[in-house]
Amino acid sequence: GVLPLCRQPPAWGRAARRSSGPSLAPCRTFSNNKILVELNESSGVATMKFKSPPVNSLSLDFLTEFCISLEKLENDRACRGVVITSNVPKIFSSGLDITEMYGKSTEHYAEFWRAVQEMWLRVYGSNMVTIAAINGSSPAGGCLVALSCDYRIMVENPKFSIGLNEAQLGIVAPFWFKDTFVNIVGHRVAERSLQLGSLHPAPEAHKIGLVDELVPEEKLQERAAAVMAQWLALPDHARQLTKSMMRRAVLDRLVAHREEDIQNFTTFISKESIQKSLRMYMEMLKKKKQ
Amino acid sequence: GVLPLCRQPPAWGRAARRSSGPSLAPCRTFSNNKILVELNESSGVATMKFKSPPVNSLSLDFLTEFCISLEKLENDRACRGVVITSNVPKIFSSGLDITEMYGKSTEHYAEFWRAVQEMWLRVYGSNMVTIAAINGSSPAGGCLVALSCDYRIMVENPKFSIGLNEAQLGIVAPFWFKDTFVNIVGHRVAERSLQLGSLHPAPEAHKIGLVDELVPEEKLQERAAAVMAQWLALPDHARQLTKSMMRRAVLDRLVAHREEDIQNFTTFISKESIQKSLRMYMEMLKKKKQ
Amino acid sequence: GVLPLCRQPPAWGRAARRSSGPSLAPCRTFSNNKILVELNESSGVATMKFKSPPVNSLSLDFLTEFCISLEKLENDRACRGVVITSNVPKIFSSGLDITEMYGKSTEHYAEFWRAVQEMWLRVYGSNMVTIAAINGSSPAGGCLVALSCDYRIMVENPKFSIGLNEAQLGIVAPFWFKDTFVNIVGHRVAERSLQLGSLHPAPEAHKIGLVDELVPEEKLQERAAAVMAQWLALPDHARQLTKSMMRRAVLDRLVAHREEDIQNFTTFISKESIQKSLRMYMEMLKKKKQ
């Protein structure tokens, strides 16, 4: 029969090329305000930990730091894969920060939306292997981050849920959220889940294919490392070209309609009825806290 | 975590807006020859019952009444959802009425086909929540009606079957039947089922995702009401925009090729070989009855 | 209810039409160097047996013979379906012959790639019912042959595996391999399997829908005949139009980009790094044999 050429060819992979560069410490850490990044240079694997309590919401600042960190890793020959996880208990990311979408100027909405787009374009189109280690709930934009990775491992706790629940808030997931979702769970599951704004408890998320596997919380990082090793066993170049072939159509669609999509968002979010809904929602959240 | 803004916001939904209008009776009924419609104005849910024995076949008259009833409900602010079911035992709908496709003029075929298209465009593109409560067999065009709804509940009786079995009759399901089917069961299941002209018994239909759930016959309407309540808990506007985002591509495709599709149908159905097949089929049905 | 018009209408099917022709022997055999073809004229079913030891690799000669045999059957009114299987123990087909892709001229690569395209266009677009009876491992191009059929039955031996494992060899499956694969297993399973270059053992291949069913080796041909009879029970014309409707988009895509795809392949395969990888791979295979 035919066997793999070799499982980790020294001629392939950016980590390999690094060996001819200057000698480096085995682990490098760089942290900014909202994200902690640890890069293990011997394995070529970085870990990005969201550390923006209370709920890792995707504010403009968070998104900017996220994109900068991703770009840094993308351009670092020592890095071939990244595990994205949370440093905040019980929450992976709560999604887009509502305060960025309420009572601001049109210019602000546009800037914010461009940052959301940029984040997705970078994660979904990354040349690195991307694994979401989902150690808490992950609604809306938080779910999108996970959906944009190559593989999703979630803690098996049924109290943690994940989904594109935008419809529950009276808003609509944009087409590229939808495209990403359909690529993973198929048209029918996506149609039902998006219309109902479903937040799927971990076991259900696994059943519909939204996440690839469930593990006990204490095994999460170990399992992420094992899966990462499996993906990194492939030659980078072939894996990257294959990934691009699978995702290009959906990525290109946003790139081609980016300004129009920003325009749609700013018009929609500026509507009085939507602003009112968001205010009611924030007031409800405040009351819950007290 | 993030919680839904509110489950049934008074500011959303056409039923809510109705409250500022004139006081109305809690239940309105309008019936024509082939379909009975009951609208419960307190829940905002209509029930459409096909009552065209022996098999609720989709004749030109039936389709015209169906479209008129749908349009009435669509424009009625008191109505947010519709349950489609049969008043005839053991059959949901037998599909397109063959007598409309045999021995008639080209003009008649064109008029009939336009009515079939119109029905699908209205059901698949409806702003209302549409639930098929499938209480009997549902081949071909009957299956299409069910496929065009948002959700399908079928009586668990394995003697009831459902499918796009056109190929068994020597004819071919048009591309928009196929698109609707692929959106629900995926490409592979659709390809096999359409080529074999399969009629799936209820348990199998459930297994391949053609229907969403099975219930005992006596629980059907109760379960349909419960599912409807779940879908109506979402704000209408967000749900409608989401639905449109999921279905627009397939709807637009027929709209763009509507005349061409009519032309194809009339040419195909007028062929001597097809007319002969249909005659043989009708004769076989007649003999079966005797 | 509605019943099928008739299960095997005498007016349909090319085999039926043959009955008015000259009397023929019930079984015809034609063999060339690499493929054995047996046509049973009473059933209308041909069997193609790959007999190119040691691994039925798809050389230029093999592909040429394969296409000629397919064309012969396609144009033979006595033939309505073909079962494709292997005459070599433990292997269905090992895929594209690497020696055709190593150390040859650009012209040779172009000629070879055109033959690969031609094979796929003929199998995926065949008017006949095509069933793959997979009695051994089937990596890469061998998997493509199976994926291009209407139905896949595999021997349940877990030592036999199947998949598009190109990425393991440092190369990339072309878009039409990918399109064919996505049409069968869906986008998510395809994305993961292609990026990992997975070879799925038979039970896993069945689980992900890559093959339709598993049988014990001794039952394979019997089961293939039974499935074939089921597919041939449909009127040829309706089945063929339905198949074409399902596959046309993907077939047309290659036809529209055929020269560009050849150009891409020759450029890619001529790269020094790729040639080096292939040489290493062939050397590894040689060592394994010794």
Side-chain angles (χ1 to χ4, degrees):
Chain A
V2 166
L3 287 174
L5 184 42
C6 55
R7 290 221 148 236
Q8 192 155 2
W12 290 314
R14 290 175 297 166
R17 262 176 274 138
R18 170 188 54 84
S19 62
S20 60
S23 170
L24 292 162
C27 195
R28 261 191 293 156
T29 299
F30 51 94
S31 179
N32 47 30
N33 288 322
K34 304 187 179 299
I35 298 171
L36 175 70
V37 182
E38 295 165 347
L39 171 57
N40 182 322
E41 299 204 312
S42 68
S43 67
V45 179
T47 304
M48 296 187 67
K49 290 183 182 165
F50 296 160
K51 55 169 186 92
S52 184
V55 291
N56 290 329
S57 65
L58 305 174
S59 63
L60 183 53
D61 283 353
F62 186 104
L63 292 166
T64 306
E65 290 192 11
F66 193 9
C67 285
I68 289 172
S69 300
L70 278 168
E71 192 179 13
K72 223 186 249 183
L73 294 175
E74 201 82 51
N75 294 328
D76 189 334
R77 290 187 158 204
C79 183
R80 299 173 63 212
V82 58
V83 175
I84 299 177
T85 194
S86 168
N87 218 27
V88 175
K90 296 182 188 167
I91 192 90
F92 180 73
S93 163
S94 67
L96 304 186
D97 188 339
I98 291 175
T99 64
E100 305 280 10
M101 302 191 270
Y102 178 71
K104 301 283 192 300
S105 67
T106 305
E107 289 70 31
H108 184 84
Y109 297 149
E111 188 188 357
F112 176 63
W113 199 246
R114 189 180 301 278
V116 178
Q117 293 175 333
E118 188 66 26
M119 179 272 289
W120 176 75
L121 290 168
R122 284 189 182 278
V123 182
Y124 201 61
S126 175
N127 269 324
M128 301 180 284
V129 175
T130 51
I131 294 178
I134 309 163
N135 49 354
S137 283
S138 198
C143 178
L144 181 73
V145 173
L147 290 173
S148 306
C149 291
D150 291 317
Y151 198 82
R152 284 154 290 286
I153 310 170
M154 190 166 181
V155 167
E156 64 190 0
N157 188 338
K159 286 184 187 165
F160 296 163
S161 63
I162 184 168
L164 294 174
N165 64 321
E166 280 79 356
Q168 292 267 11
L169 281 74
I171 58 178
V172 181
F175 70 87
W176 38 287
F177 283 49
K178 181 264 288 178
D179 289 342
T180 311
F181 197 32
V182 168
N183 272 355
I184 291 171
V185 299
H187 193 278
R188 173 56 188 158
V189 170
E191 185 182 81
R192 184 175 161 186
S193 183
L194 287 173
Q195 282 199 66
L196 291 172
S198 302
L199 282 175
H200 305 281
E204 187 179 293
H206 181 237
K207 204 179 153 195
I208 64 172
L210 201 167
V211 299
D212 295 296
E213 57 177 296
L214 301 180
V215 295
E217 182 135 27
E218 67 275 15
K219 301 270 187 187
L220 181 61
Q221 299 310 324
E222 178 190 327
R223 182 61 193 147
V227 171
M228 180 61 81
Q230 187 195 8
W231 285 67
L232 292 183
L234 277 286
D236 279 347
H237 187 65
R239 188 190 49 69
Q240 287 160 0
L241 287 175
T242 306
K243 181 173 177 173
S244 165
M245 176 173 66
M246 297 304 297
R247 300 190 169 190
R248 201 184 309 136
V250 162
L251 287 162
D252 285 354
R253 207 174 152 205
L254 177 59
V255 171
H257 298 95
R258 195 163 177 181
E259 298 308 320
E260 190 186 329
D261 183 59
I262 291 172
Q263 186 60 49
N264 282 346
F265 173 75
T266 57
T267 305
F268 182 78
I269 212 72
S270 304
K271 277 184 188 167
E272 213 171 314
S273 61
I274 301 298
Q275 285 290 307
K276 190 180 157 197
S277 297
L278 295 176
R279 192 179 67 237
M280 283 164 62
Y281 183 60
M282 288 188 294
E283 278 165 9
M284 189 192 68
L285 285 182
K286 258 187 222 165
K287 277 178 197 154
K288 267 201 77 193
K289 274 190 212 165
Q290 290 162 351
Chain B
V2 165
L3 288 173
L5 183 44
C6 54
R7 289 222 151 237
Q8 191 154 3
W12 290 315
R14 290 176 297 170
R17 261 177 273 140
R18 170 190 54 85
S19 61
S20 60
S23 170
L24 292 163
C27 195
R28 261 191 293 155
T29 299
F30 50 93
S31 178
N32 47 31
N33 288 322
K34 303 188 181 293
I35 298 171
L36 174 71
V37 182
E38 296 165 347
L39 171 58
N40 182 322
E41 299 204 311
S42 67
S43 67
V45 179
T47 304
M48 295 186 69
K49 291 184 182 164
F50 296 161
K51 55 170 186 90
S52 183
V55 290
N56 290 330
S57 66
L58 305 174
S59 63
L60 183 53
D61 283 351
F62 187 105
L63 291 167
T64 306
E65 291 193 8
F66 192 8
C67 286
I68 289 171
S69 300
L70 278 169
E71 190 179 15
K72 224 186 248 183
L73 294 175
E74 201 82 52
N75 295 327
D76 190 334
R77 290 189 158 203
C79 185
R80 298 174 64 213
V82 58
V83 175
I84 300 176
T85 194
S86 167
N87 217 27
V88 175
K90 296 181 189 167
I91 191 92
F92 179 73
S93 164
S94 67
L96 305 186
D97 188 339
I98 291 174
T99 63
E100 304 281 10
M101 302 192 269
Y102 178 72
K104 301 283 192 299
S105 68
T106 306
E107 289 70 32
H108 183 84
Y109 297 148
E111 187 188 358
F112 176 63
W113 199 246
R114 188 181 301 278
V116 179
Q117 293 175 332
E118 188 66 25
M119 179 273 286
W120 177 75
L121 289 169
R122 283 188 183 278
V123 182
Y124 200 61
S126 175
N127 269 324
M128 300 180 284
V129 175
T130 51
I131 294 178
I134 310 162
N135 49 353
S137 284
S138 198
C143 178
L144 181 73
V145 173
L147 290 173
S148 305
C149 291
D150 291 316
Y151 198 82
R152 283 154 291 284
I153 310 170
M154 189 166 181
V155 167
E156 63 190 0
N157 189 340
K159 286 185 186 164
F160 297 162
S161 63
I162 184 168
L164 295 174
N165 64 321
E166 280 80 355
Q168 292 267 11
L169 281 75
I171 57 178
V172 181
F175 70 87
W176 39 286
F177 283 49
K178 180 265 288 179
D179 289 343
T180 311
F181 197 31
V182 167
N183 271 356
I184 290 171
V185 299
H187 193 279
R188 172 57 188 157
V189 170
E191 185 182 82
R192 183 173 162 187
S193 182
L194 287 173
Q195 282 199 65
L196 290 172
S198 303
L199 283 175
H200 305 281
E204 187 180 293
H206 182 237
K207 204 179 153 195
I208 64 171
L210 201 166
V211 300
D212 295 296
E213 57 177 295
L214 302 179
V215 294
E217 181 134 28
E218 67 275 15
K219 300 269 185 187
L220 181 62
Q221 299 310 324
E222 178 190 328
R223 181 61 193 147
V227 172
M228 181 61 82
Q230 186 195 8
W231 285 67
L232 291 182
L234 276 287
D236 279 348
H237 187 65
R239 187 190 50 69
Q240 287 160 0
L241 288 175
T242 305
K243 181 173 177 174
S244 165
M245 176 173 67
M246 297 303 298
R247 301 191 168 190
R248 201 183 310 135
V250 161
L251 286 163
D252 285 353
R253 206 173 153 207
L254 177 58
V255 171
H257 298 95
R258 195 163 178 180
E259 298 309 318
E260 189 186 329
D261 183 59
I262 291 172
Q263 187 60 49
N264 283 345
F265 173 76
T266 56
T267 305
F268 182 79
I269 212 71
S270 304
K271 278 183 188 168
E272 213 170 314
S273 61
I274 301 297
Q275 285 291 305
K276 190 180 157 195
S277 297
L278 295 176
R279 192 180 66 239
M280 283 165 60
Y281 183 61
M282 288 187 294
E283 279 166 9
M284 189 192 70
L285 285 182
K286 256 186 222 165
K287 275 177 197 154
K288 268 203 75 193
K289 274 190 214 166
Q290 289 164 351
Chain C
V2 166
L3 287 173
L5 183 43
C6 54
R7 292 218 149 239
Q8 192 156 3
W12 291 314
R14 290 176 297 169
R17 262 177 273 138
R18 172 188 53 85
S19 62
S20 60
S23 171
L24 292 162
C27 195
R28 263 191 290 155
T29 299
F30 51 94
S31 179
N32 47 30
N33 289 322
K34 304 190 179 295
I35 298 171
L36 174 71
V37 182
E38 296 166 346
L39 172 57
N40 182 322
E41 299 204 312
S42 68
S43 67
V45 179
T47 304
M48 295 186 68
K49 291 184 182 164
F50 296 161
K51 55 170 186 92
S52 183
V55 290
N56 289 330
S57 65
L58 306 174
S59 63
L60 183 52
D61 282 353
F62 186 104
L63 291 167
T64 306
E65 291 193 10
F66 192 9
C67 286
I68 289 171
S69 300
L70 278 169
E71 191 179 13
K72 223 186 248 182
L73 294 175
E74 201 81 53
N75 295 328
D76 189 334
R77 290 190 158 202
C79 183
R80 299 174 63 212
V82 58
V83 174
I84 300 176
T85 194
S86 168
N87 218 27
V88 175
K90 296 181 190 167
I91 193 90
F92 179 73
S93 163
S94 66
L96 305 186
D97 188 339
I98 290 174
T99 63
E100 305 280 9
M101 302 191 269
Y102 178 71
K104 301 282 193 300
S105 67
T106 306
E107 290 69 31
H108 184 84
Y109 297 148
E111 188 188 357
F112 176 62
W113 199 246
R114 189 181 301 278
V116 179
Q117 293 176 331
E118 188 67 25
M119 180 272 287
W120 176 74
L121 290 169
R122 282 189 183 278
V123 182
Y124 201 61
S126 174
N127 268 325
M128 300 181 284
V129 175
T130 50
I131 293 178
I134 309 162
N135 50 352
S137 283
S138 198
C143 178
L144 181 73
V145 173
L147 290 173
S148 306
C149 291
D150 291 318
Y151 198 81
R152 283 154 291 286
I153 310 170
M154 189 167 182
V155 168
E156 63 190 359
N157 188 338
K159 287 184 187 165
F160 297 162
S161 63
I162 183 168
L164 295 174
N165 63 321
E166 281 79 356
Q168 293 267 11
L169 281 74
I171 58 177
V172 180
F175 70 87
W176 38 287
F177 283 49
K178 181 264 290 178
D179 289 343
T180 311
F181 197 32
V182 167
N183 272 356
I184 290 171
V185 297
H187 193 278
R188 171 59 189 157
V189 170
E191 186 183 80
R192 183 174 162 187
S193 183
L194 287 172
Q195 282 199 64
L196 291 172
S198 303
L199 283 175
H200 304 282
E204 188 179 292
H206 181 237
K207 205 180 153 193
I208 63 171
L210 202 167
V211 300
D212 295 297
E213 57 177 296
L214 301 179
V215 294
E217 181 134 26
E218 68 275 16
K219 300 271 186 185
L220 181 62
Q221 299 310 324
E222 177 189 329
R223 181 61 192 148
V227 172
M228 181 61 82
Q230 187 195 7
W231 285 68
L232 291 182
L234 277 286
D236 280 346
H237 186 65
R239 187 190 49 69
Q240 287 160 359
L241 287 175
T242 305
K243 181 173 178 174
S244 165
M245 176 172 66
M246 297 303 299
R247 301 191 168 190
R248 201 184 310 136
V250 161
L251 287 163
D252 285 353
R253 207 173 152 206
L254 177 59
V255 171
H257 298 95
R258 195 162 177 181
E259 298 308 319
E260 190 187 329
D261 182 59
I262 292 171
Q263 187 59 50
N264 283 345
F265 172 76
T266 57
T267 305
F268 182 78
I269 211 73
S270 304
K271 278 184 188 167
E272 214 171 314
S273 61
I274 301 298
Q275 285 290 306
K276 191 181 156 196
S277 297
L278 296 176
R279 193 180 66 240
M280 283 164 61
Y281 183 61
M282 288 188 295
E283 278 165 9
M284 190 192 70
L285 285 183
K286 258 187 222 166
K287 277 178 198 155
K288 267 201 78 190
K289 274 190 212 163
Q290 291 165 349

